[in-house]
Amino acid sequence: PKMKEDHCLHAALLCLGVLCYSQALTTERLNHSRPSLHGHHEKGKEGQVLHRSKRGWVWNQFFVIEEYTGPDPVLVGRLHSDIDSGDGNIKYILSGEGAGIIFVIDDKSGNIHATKTLDREERAQYTLTAQAVDRNTNRPLEPPSEFIVKVQDINDNPPEFLHENYHANVPERSNVGTSVIQVTASDADDPTYGNSAKLVYSILEGQPYFSVEAQTGIIRTALPNMDREAKEEYHVVIQAKDMGGHMGGLSGTTKVTITLTDVNDNPPKFPQSVYQMSVSEAAVLGEEVGRVKAKDPDIGENGLVAYSIIDGDGMDMFEITTDYETQEGVVKLKKTLDYETKKSYSLKVEAANVHIDPKFISNGPFKDTVTVKIAVEDADEPPVFLKPSYIFEVQENAASGTVVGKVHAKDPDAANSAIRYSIDRHTDLERYFVINAEDGSIKTIKALDREEMAWHNISVFAVEVHKQHQEAKVPIAIKVVDVNDNAPKFAAAYEAFVCENARSTLLAFLLQQFITISADDKDDSANGPRFIFSLPPEIIHNPNFTLRDNRDNTASVLVRREGFSRQKQDLYLLPIVISDGGMPALSSTNTLTIRVCGCDGSGSLLSCNAEAYVLNAGLSTGALIAILACIVILLVIVVLFVTLKRQKKEPLIVFEEEDVRENIITYDDEGGGEEDTEAFDIATLQNPDGINGFIPRKDIKPEYQYLPRPGLRPTPNSVDVDDFINTRIQEADNDPTAPPYDSIQIYGYEGRGSVAGSLSSLESATTDSDLDYDYLQNWGPRFKKLADLYGSKDTFDDDS
């Protein structure tokens, strides 16, 4: 029914438009015909009066309604010229946009029709050109003129929103009228013609929570105190309608999803007033005792809760931390518990919001408290020492069995079991100490030496007699007290020298700068320094040297005379007695070595060697230089001799290492020819390794070497080729590492009495020969083929 009503409306508007346009054409024609009848007069060449006709187009700005769907083409308008007398001699031509396709003209009457349905949203107007020409000659009768055909809009496009769905957020408990989002629709119809594009917004769903401004499309809150915890998401449907929202207008809708965002408007609350927990007295520090949780319906940072202990007799024993992943308060053990001392504790725990919104402070306070009661459970505890550690002292060199100290432990449980003690032998590997298992007394079983180990650190175990798994351990430090049992000694191996034949001025210098000695004592400082230095009573009046105690744990040795001579005595041994300050005092005698040396004029040491002194007296400097020159000349001669000998032995032809393909040995001895049988030694054919009975294979890499049998080893100086070859054959037959193929051995010796005949046996089968090859049968399986070839000859002859 609505479509039918629209078509009727279009048809009525079209008829009204055609009627108005016809009236306008008639009026325009009358207005233009009058001037042409009263046109200007001009005189022709022959004096006759000519009338210039003024052009009078009968047309106006044309309009055509879009979306016309009638059966006949729509009459757009009519073109007519004043010079058209109606005799059909004038032809109207139409050109321009859509001419001949969309718009056609009757060339006689000038009527223009639209042959197609037009859409203003595709094209709003067309520019055409009209011209009147002579039908017979096509001569233009008037200049062409442009006119416009406008497509008149009808309301054929509904409003459309930019998005099919919108999403928006607004804080919960917002004031009425708070802007949420603006939605915008557009209409493709002509906004300048009628109300086809005038839009009005309205809300179809989402009331009474939200409203929309009719002209702008802004959505606002309509109710106060909307609570996210009650309802978080709202679905709103907004409509945009054209024609100013009046009846018959077209409309479009969109959906808007509005989410209420959270604000901190809810304080945390504990679901119960008291929490009951328990923990064993054997629990370790930091162990979790239990958890509490206050519920806050807010989310995100608005729902964050921090926990704290604000009161209770267990504030010092327990602590609480916040688990922000689960929003729980975790109660942990802070100090060690003792069931026998206190069996229960009480805590007052507070839960408070971390972030508070000042706008909702009136909803507070944003915190809550709860009581936590913790019961301590009894546990079987290990023994406890009265002290966490012990320090004892014992004198060094004390007799075995000396009591060092005593430790004590007890069972903290109500049973108060008996305790047994033992030493951790990993801490007393040398077994210096022993402990009484009953009372914990520690004694020595070896003499202790402070100089070897001043402190002994051991550990003692205490275990319950009836519960061996319950044990405790305590560290014990034992200090070895020093006694004066070490005499002082030289701090270093001192050695001094004096200059022989020193002058008086130099001697005076040496009396001050001779040598200063110090001592060292392994005992403690109480039994060590201060040191006292002295000479033994029997040499206190030593004519050569004297000693001066500097009273700072050092002493100086001074020279008492001059004129020392190495020829008379080159070494002096001075005994020095050193005493410590211990009770009782200990002393030792140390020997200072003093050498007589040669010095230069400034007192610097030259030589302390007596042999060098004698040598200098017997040989002069010139003699020493001559001896060194002779030695150098001899060395040069030896070097030249060796060099010349090496150059002589260099071969004429040099074989580079990379050119060698076999194990070739080159000899530079040509020999005396074939008749000279004494110039070459058969021993050169022997492998040097074969002399020792070990012959490595060079054609393969053997896995192990075979040692030849005793008795088969040839003598090093053997010259019998037959024996030499037989030896090699037997070695090859008995060698398990030999390859399964023939190995050719090339020898450079032809044998005695050779006439340079061929040694090859390739032609032996076809030539007469007196050689006997029966011995090939004895050469083993490797030569069986040859034995069959050469042994068959005799057999053949016998048969023939």
Side-chain angles (χ1 to χ4, degrees):
K2 184 176 180 180
M3 292 294 296
K4 184 176 181 180
E5 181 181 352
D6 291 342
H7 285 301
C8 294
L9 180 61
H10 291 169
L13 292 175
L14 180 61
C15 294
L16 181 61
V18 172
L19 181 61
C20 294
Y21 187 67
S22 301
Q23 183 66 28
L25 287 177
T26 304
T27 305
E28 189 70 18
R29 182 178 180 182
L30 292 175
N31 291 336
H32 288 296
S33 62
R34 292 191 185 97
S36 64
L37 296 175
H38 301 85
H40 297 284
H41 299 280
E42 295 182 359
K43 293 184 176 180
K45 295 181 179 180
E46 298 179 357
Q48 61 181 2
V49 179
L50 299 176
H51 298 279
R52 181 178 65 85
S53 299
K54 180 181 178 181
R55 183 187 61 180
W57 288 104
V58 182
W59 66 280
N60 204 340
Q61 189 176 36
F62 298 143
F63 295 90
V64 59
I65 297 176
E66 67 170 337
E67 303 294 346
Y68 176 72
T69 57
D72 299 326
V74 178
L75 176 63
V76 177
R78 181 185 180 190
L79 299 180
H80 186 74
S81 176
D82 290 342
I83 62 175
D84 186 3
S85 59
D87 54 2
N89 292 328
I90 295 178
K91 180 180 179 181
Y92 295 98
I93 298 175
L94 185 65
S95 63
E97 298 174 345
I101 301 174
I102 300 175
F103 302 101
V104 296
I105 189 171
D106 188 343
D107 59 354
K108 293 183 179 180
S109 63
N111 292 333
I112 301 173
H113 291 82
T115 60
K116 294 184 177 181
T117 301
L118 303 180
D119 187 356
R120 189 202 67 84
E121 285 70 38
E122 292 183 2
R123 188 158 190 167
Q125 64 181 22
Y126 298 85
T127 301
L128 299 173
T129 301
Q131 189 175 20
V133 299
D134 186 272
R135 183 177 296 274
N136 297 321
T137 63
N138 286 331
R139 179 176 61 84
L141 300 178
E142 292 187 7
S145 292
E146 288 186 354
F147 65 94
I148 296 174
V149 177
K150 288 189 175 182
V151 181
Q152 190 173 3
D153 183 48
I154 63 173
N155 190 17
D156 59 341
N157 292 281
E160 294 183 359
F161 284 92
L162 299 180
H163 304 285
E164 184 178 356
N165 294 285
Y166 289 84
H167 295 273
N169 298 322
V170 63
E172 64 173 330
R173 300 190 180 276
S174 297
N175 297 327
V176 175
T178 301
S179 176
V180 179
I181 190 175
Q182 182 178 13
V183 294
T184 304
S186 61
D187 196 317
D189 292 327
D190 188 1
T192 63
Y193 180 78
N195 294 327
S196 299
K198 186 178 181 180
L199 305 181
V200 174
Y201 300 91
S202 60
I203 183 169
L204 301 182
E205 295 181 13
Q207 298 168 323
Y209 306 103
F210 300 95
S211 63
V212 63
E213 293 184 357
Q215 305 301 325
T216 62
I218 297 176
I219 301 175
R220 301 182 182 274
T221 57
L223 285 180
N225 298 324
M226 285 191 292
D227 191 4
R228 185 199 65 83
E229 288 73 32
K231 186 176 182 180
E232 183 177 5
E233 192 172 81
Y234 295 85
H235 298 281
V236 179
V237 178
I238 303 297
Q239 174 185 264
K241 190 174 184 180
D242 60 13
M243 299 298 292
H246 292 90
M247 184 74 68
L250 303 179
S251 63
T253 59
T254 186
K255 294 181 180 179
V256 182
T257 302
I258 301 176
T259 303
L260 297 183
T261 58
D262 185 60
V263 297
N264 191 8
D265 58 339
N266 295 282
K269 293 290 183 182
F270 283 104
Q272 59 194 68
S273 59
V274 178
Y275 283 86
Q276 298 287 346
M277 300 179 183
S278 61
V279 60
S280 173
E281 64 172 338
V284 297
L285 300 183
E287 183 175 335
E288 181 179 326
V289 179
R291 292 183 175 230
V292 297
K293 184 175 183 179
K295 295 184 178 180
D296 191 332
D298 295 323
I299 60 175
E301 66 175 14
N302 297 316
L304 294 180
V305 178
Y307 298 87
S308 61
I309 300 175
I310 60 175
D311 196 7
D313 56 1
M315 293 183 64
D316 296 333
M317 307 300 295
F318 301 92
E319 62 182 356
I320 190 169
T321 59
T322 302
D323 186 347
Y324 287 103
E325 292 184 0
T326 61
Q327 291 299 302
E328 293 177 323
V330 183
V331 181
K332 296 181 180 180
L333 185 61
K334 186 178 180 182
K335 291 184 179 180
T336 304
L337 301 174
D338 187 6
Y339 173 80
E340 289 73 23
T341 303
K342 191 174 179 61
K343 296 180 176 58
S344 64
Y345 294 90
S346 178
L347 302 175
K348 189 175 183 180
V349 177
E350 179 183 80
N353 277 135
V354 177
H355 303 283
I356 299 177
D357 194 338
K359 294 188 298 183
F360 303 100
I361 196 67
S362 59
N363 295 359
F366 287 85
K367 57 185 178 180
D368 194 16
T369 59
V370 71
T371 300
V372 178
K373 293 184 178 181
I374 303 174
V376 180
E377 298 177 349
D378 188 21
D380 187 10
E381 300 176 85
V384 177
F385 284 93
L386 298 184
K387 295 182 180 180
S389 62
Y390 292 86
I391 299 177
F392 299 132
E393 292 184 356
V394 62
Q395 286 190 343
E396 66 173 329
N397 301 325
S400 177
T402 301
V403 177
V404 177
K406 185 177 182 180
V407 297
H408 183 69
K410 66 175 183 177
D411 183 9
D413 296 326
N416 194 16
S417 301
I419 305 298
R420 295 184 62 86
Y421 303 93
S422 62
I423 295 177
D424 183 2
R425 288 305 173 187
H426 293 91
T427 61
D428 185 26
L429 297 176
E430 300 295 332
R431 294 184 177 269
Y432 288 105
F433 307 97
V434 66
I435 190 170
N436 189 310
E438 304 296 334
D439 62 3
S441 298
I442 301 175
K443 298 179 181 180
T444 62
I445 55 177
K446 288 183 180 181
L448 304 178
D449 188 358
R450 190 203 67 86
E451 286 71 39
E452 291 184 1
M453 187 180 296
W455 286 86
H456 293 265
N457 297 304
I458 64 174
S459 298
V460 172
F461 290 112
V463 297
E464 297 181 14
V465 174
H466 301 292
K467 299 177 181 179
Q468 297 292 330
H469 65 282
Q470 293 291 359
E471 67 177 15
K473 187 177 181 180
V474 66
I476 300 174
I478 302 175
K479 179 181 179 181
V480 182
V481 180
D482 183 50
V483 296
N484 193 16
D485 58 346
N486 291 279
K489 297 180 180 180
F490 276 163
Y494 292 105
E495 185 174 339
F497 74 93
V498 295
C499 295
E500 66 175 346
N501 300 324
R503 298 189 300 272
S504 299
T505 55
L506 180 58
L507 180 60
F509 174 77
L510 292 174
L511 287 174
Q512 298 177 3
Q513 303 290 333
F514 181 41
I515 187 172
T516 300
I517 59 176
S518 61
D520 189 14
D521 196 329
K522 294 182 179 180
D523 292 325
D524 198 1
S525 59
N527 295 313
R530 115 167 168 81
F531 298 122
I532 300 173
F533 299 86
S534 63
L535 296 176
E538 61 271 14
I539 63 167
I540 193 170
H541 299 294
N542 189 310
N544 298 317
F545 306 99
T546 185
L547 183 70
R548 182 179 65 195
D549 194 338
N550 297 328
R551 299 184 181 278
D552 60 353
N553 296 323
T554 64
S556 299
V557 180
L558 306 177
V559 181
R560 301 185 68 176
R561 71 178 181 88
E562 62 182 0
F564 290 94
S565 175
R566 281 184 287 177
Q567 292 180 344
K568 294 180 179 180
Q569 185 175 352
D570 62 346
L571 183 65
Y572 293 87
L573 300 176
L574 181 64
I576 299 175
V577 179
I578 308 175
S579 302
D580 59 20
M583 293 297 292
L586 295 180
S587 63
S588 66
T589 301
N590 301 266
T591 302
L592 175 63
T593 302
I594 303 174
R595 297 183 181 276
V596 180
C597 302
C599 303
D600 58 10
S602 62
S604 299
L605 178 66
L606 291 179
S607 175
C608 294
N609 194 346
E611 288 75 12
Y613 179 83
V614 175
L615 181 61
N616 290 337
L619 294 176
S620 63
T621 304
L624 293 175
I625 294 175
I627 293 173
L628 292 176
C630 292
I631 294 174
V632 171
I633 291 173
L634 290 175
L635 291 175
V636 170
I637 292 174
V638 171
V639 170
L640 290 176
F641 179 77
V642 172
T643 304
L644 292 175
K645 188 174 182 180
R646 289 183 177 179
Q647 291 179 354
K648 183 178 179 181
K649 290 184 177 181
E650 289 181 359
L652 297 177
I653 301 176
V654 180
F655 292 90
E656 296 183 358
E657 183 178 357
E658 58 270 16
D659 293 334
V660 177
R661 294 297 181 268
E662 299 291 343
N663 294 322
I664 301 174
I665 301 176
T666 303
Y667 301 94
D668 294 333
D669 190 358
E670 296 182 358
E674 295 181 357
E675 300 300 330
D676 185 4
T677 60
E678 303 296 333
F680 189 78
D681 188 5
I682 189 60
T684 59
L685 296 178
Q686 296 177 350
N687 193 325
D689 295 331
I691 298 176
N692 299 325
F694 174 76
I695 304 176
R697 297 294 303 268
K698 295 183 179 181
D699 53 344
I700 64 170
K701 183 178 180 181
E703 296 181 356
Y704 61 92
Q705 295 292 344
Y706 170 73
L707 296 177
R709 296 179 181 178
L712 300 178
R713 186 182 306 166
T715 60
N717 298 324
S718 175
V719 295
D720 193 342
V721 176
D722 187 45
D723 293 342
F724 176 77
I725 294 177
N726 288 333
T727 301
R728 292 293 182 269
I729 292 172
Q730 293 182 18
E731 290 176 355
D733 290 339
N734 297 320
D735 187 0
T737 62
Y741 48 82
D742 291 341
S743 178
I744 301 175
Q745 301 290 338
I746 300 174
Y747 303 97
Y749 184 71
E750 298 181 356
R752 290 192 178 96
S754 172
V755 293
S758 174
L759 296 179
S760 173
S761 60
L762 297 178
E763 299 176 356
S764 299
T766 58
T767 59
D768 295 330
S769 176
D770 296 329
L771 295 177
D772 185 9
Y773 295 102
D774 292 336
Y775 61 88
L776 293 177
Q777 299 290 341
N778 301 325
W779 281 20
R782 297 179 183 274
F783 295 90
K784 185 176 185 303
K785 187 66 176 179
L786 290 176
D788 294 338
L789 290 175
Y790 292 95
S792 61
K793 178 178 181 298
D794 296 339
T795 305
F796 179 79
D797 293 337
D798 295 336
D799 295 340
S800 60

